[in-house]
Structures are given as structure tokens and as C-alpha cells.
Amino acid sequence: MSTVSVVTAQARNGLSRKGGLTPTRLCMMRYTKPREAGCCSFVSLYYSGHGMQIPAGATFGRMPPRDVRGFNDANGGGSTGGGGGGGGGKGDGEDESSGKGFFGMLWVMYLASLNKNPVSTKALTSGFLNAFGDVLAQFAFNEEGQAFDWKRLGIFTFLGVAFIGPSLHVWYGLISRLFSNPGTASALSRLVLDQVFFAPIFIGGIVSAVMFLEGQGHNVQAKLKSDLFTIVKSNWVLWVPFQFINFRVAQMPVGRRAVQGLTARKLLPRHQAAPTDSEESVEDLWQYEDRKSWYEAKFAADDQPDWQPATFVSSVEIGPSIKLVTFDIESSRELVPLRNAYKHIGQYASIRVNGGEEIHVPPSSPPLSPEAIRTSLLRVRNDLPAGDQKLQTDPISERQRITLVVTLEGAPELYKSTISDLFEVGPFQGTGLDLLKIQAIFRYPTIVIFVDNAGIATARSLITSKTSGLHTHMRSNVHVYYRAPNKASTCFADEFESWAEEYGVSVMVSTRDTFHEMFDDDDTLVYDPEGTAAIILTGNDANEMEEEALEACKAAEIETVVRQTVPREATTYLSSISLM
């Protein structure tokens, strides 16, 4: 995003004030920068104050990375060009290390403040840089004899604190979450959003704010109409290439992990070796109550939020007041902890529409197979292969497509939603069906499934799953008895033929007969009661349909029954908190 010096000075020039900055002067001012290491400090402060990202260890200009101890090795004597501002080192290092240690301490304190209070720190940094830029502009470009404009300085400083810093913090945080993957494609996506969508709005806001604060609010509309596009074009010429480099190279945000490497060390003069028990050591730069937690092993995604954004894909009506809604959701084990993931047939999805109330709906697609998320499962966070360097890496994103059966009566907000709404998916509810006792194929070669419309979504996910352990295609008989309210409300009727061919599942549908009658009328089923297991899928709540299915099992002398209302035993998931 364009800097305050470009935008506000352009706005200033449009107000026909004497000494206003022309685009040529603006570019000269922005391209004239301190030499060598001084450039690093200014650029680093600018980027961290304006919501952009500096990866740990990043360098600008010719400033090399260094240890915090005196900005050099603890064992080192003199250095050439490795010291604080890029100047020559001294042999003894005594006076030089103390001065550079002071600036190192300031930098660490700044990063600590940025980590603890990011918005207020960026707001104050933005205000300071606005003030600094305006002072430079007034001294450099004001005509001889023109008085210093204190009101203008106050306006720019106020805008930096109240508007620019907080708004850029929110914006860059948003696009970093939307396009979190590394690479050129992600950088280009951020760049297009930033410069095409956000830049005109942001620049227009700055211009309007400056004019309102100077008492020229009545001219805002005319000013934007005549000059906004010109200002935005000047912004594109200067900042498109710089923003692309920023998005492409500096992708990791400055946060706790970036500060950890600094705060964990001691500030020692460069000639002094690491302290021993007999030597006096300097206190750590900064102390945190939870500092020890930085070094503890943590479970994957243990610190990730419970709710993740979901991408709307489609909504198809499959019956009267029944829709099949499809989403893309995050499934990477680095971003979704195991306790929140979709793991078992029979779990319900938790969905929020536009930040509203939590909605629970049944998935009709099976859980993702381990092979589909193999990369994130095998990757151990912070593990180091031989010869590798310890760098913070971005988590791997692995998206899963999930379909949900939604009824108008059960979830009207989700049923009526469209692609323009915002969706979030949270922890999946329930523990799923207790299928473990019927997984042995030789023990139960015949499976009968009693289903109504409340359980058809779970039935579909069970039949099409490759990880449920049911292995329907390997059993002698798998018959589904589906009680539908009417012919029009029969869900997934177009898939029944493929279920028979691919999974070996026969489906019998009736709109009038009871489960007992459907079972008795099935002449194709030859079964042994001891080798037959039944699955009843009639919703999570006990109802008449479930009782009817149980009566059919009793009449058929089938004793092994899996019910949707009797879930499997809950799994206890360990977390970093539970181990403390």
C-alpha cells in the first residue's frame, strides 16, 4: 500500500497550497534513502509499523544478519562493516558493543511491543513516521521564508495513529489469511487485491480525511472526482513493484516466533565469551511469564482457532425443501487439530453463516482419507532434516470438499444461503457410529441398513467411505431399506445404481411400507441371523422410526444392532494444556 508521504502529500498538493509536493518531488523524496545499514532500520520500522511482514533474519541493503550479543559473535574481536550501522569495527569492541547493544535492546523492545500490542504499536509507529515524513517534506520543499505548518504536522500525525496504522494492520492481516501459501501466485493475488481494490479506497479515505480536518469537507467530492485516479496511478507506478517484492519475499509476520530468537539470548560485549558460573552475566533483555512455553513441544494445530473459513461451492435441491450444499474446508492437520476434525461416520458438521448461530447438519460425504492429507501428517513441525536450517515455515493447507444435506425446516439460514454469504466451519460434533463391533467381515457377512430421510446423509457417507472399515463390496449381502416420505423426497435416487455396481449395496425404497414389511418382502436376501448385523440410521434423536426398525430386527432375530442414537465411545484427545 502506498505510504503516507505519497498519499497525503498528493492530497496536500491538490489543495492548492504554496509549497505543495509534486509527483516528481514525491518520487525523489521516496527514492532518496539512507545508505547501507541505515536503510535497514528505516525500512524495517516502516514495514513493521504498517502491517507488513518481516521474516526473522530478513535483511535489507547490505546489513548482514547477526547475533544479538553486541550485534556480533560473543567470541569476536573486531569486525569490518559488521557493526551496528555498517561502519568499521574496532579491535577491542568495548565502546562499540555497548552502543550497538543499546540499539539492539531498543529493537528487541520494539519487537516485543509489536508482539504484545500489535495494533497500538503499529498505530504509534505510523504516527511517528507520518510526522517524520512531513517534517522532512516541509524542510526540503517549502519555499524560502514559508513558515513551518504545525497544523499540517498535527493532521498527518493524527491520521497515522487513528486511521492509517490500524486500517493497514487489519487489511494486511486479512489478505495474509486469504492467501497464506508461499509462492508467486499467492503474491500476485495479494498484490491485485491490495492495489486494485484497497488502494483507491484507502487513498480516497486519506484525501477525504485531510480535507475534512482542514475545514474543506464541502470540496471532497469534487476533489476525488478530479484527482483520485491521478493519485492512484502515481501510487501504482511507485508501489506495485515494491509491494510485489514484499509479498513474494517477506511472507512471515513479525510475531512471537520472531521475537523468541532475540529474547532467549544474553547481551554480552563482543569480546566476552559465554558466561560461566563464576562470571557475572547480564540479565536477559525481556522477561515473559510464559517464556518457558516457547520451548515446549506442542501438538499439531493445538494453537489454531476452532473456527476456520469455509468456501461456498454449490447448492443443489435434491428434494422438496432439501438441498445438498457443498463447501471447501480446511483439513490440514497443521491447521485443524485432531479433536476438531471430521474423522468418523455419523458426526455432524458445525456451520456458522455470516457470524450467526451455530448450525449442526449431517455430512453426506465421508471423512477424508489419510492419504489425502499425507503431506501434513508426515510433516513434523520444527523438525530438522540433516543439513537444514531452523527457519519458521508456513503450515501446509489441504482443502477438503464436503457435502451437507440441509433442510429448510432444520437449518433455514443455511438452506437460503448463497455464495455472497460468509461461512465458517467449527469442530465436528459427536463421536460417530459405533462400527467397530461389526467390522469383521467373516463374522457378519450380511449387513442390513434401515434408513429414513433423517439418516440418508449418514447412509451415503457410510456406503461411499473407504475408511469406515465396513468394506461393503467384500460382504455377501448389504441391503438398504429406505423409508422416504414420498417419491419426490427420495434423496440420491440417481446414485442407487452406482452403489450397487461399485459398493455391492442394494437399495429398496418404499413410501408406505414399514421397515418390517420391507424386510419381509425382500426375496433377494438370504441371511443367517447370527451372521447378520443391522445399522439403524434415523437421526440422532430417538423416534418412532427407530422403534420400528428395532421391531424389524427383533422379528428377524438380528441381535447385533448399531444405532445412530447410541454413538461410539468418546475419544480423549491430548493437548498441550492437558499435559501441563
Side-chain angles (χ1 to χ4, degrees), residues 168-245:
L168 293 183
H169 168 80
V170 174
W171 170 247
Y172 286 109
L174 174 63
I175 62 175
S176 295
R177 290 191 296 271
L178 290 175
F179 303 99
S180 58
N181 293 332
T184 302
S186 179
L188 287 174
S189 299
R190 294 190 204 179
L191 182 66
V192 170
L193 269 183
D194 184 51
Q195 293 297 315
V196 175
F197 173 74
F198 182 67
I201 298 175
F202 181 74
I203 294 174
I206 291 291
V207 173
S208 302
V210 171
M211 296 185 69
F212 271 111
L213 291 173
E214 292 195 338
Q216 300 188 42
H218 57 283
N219 293 327
V220 169
Q221 186 174 359
K223 174 65 179 175
L224 293 178
K225 187 175 181 180
S226 63
D227 292 348
L228 179 60
F229 185 62
T230 302
I231 300 174
V232 171
K233 285 196 299 183
S234 299
N235 164 80
W236 287 340
V237 170
L238 180 61
W239 284 104
V240 165
F242 284 101
Q243 283 295 70
F244 176 75
I245 295 173

Side-chain angles (χ1 to χ4, degrees), residues 512-530:
R512 294 180 298 177
D513 295 339
T514 65
F515 284 131
H516 190 186
E517 292 171 339
M518 295 172 66
F519 185 81
D520 283 344
D521 292 342
D522 186 5
D523 297 332
T524 63
L525 177 65
V526 179
Y527 76 102
D528 174 15
E530 292 185 359

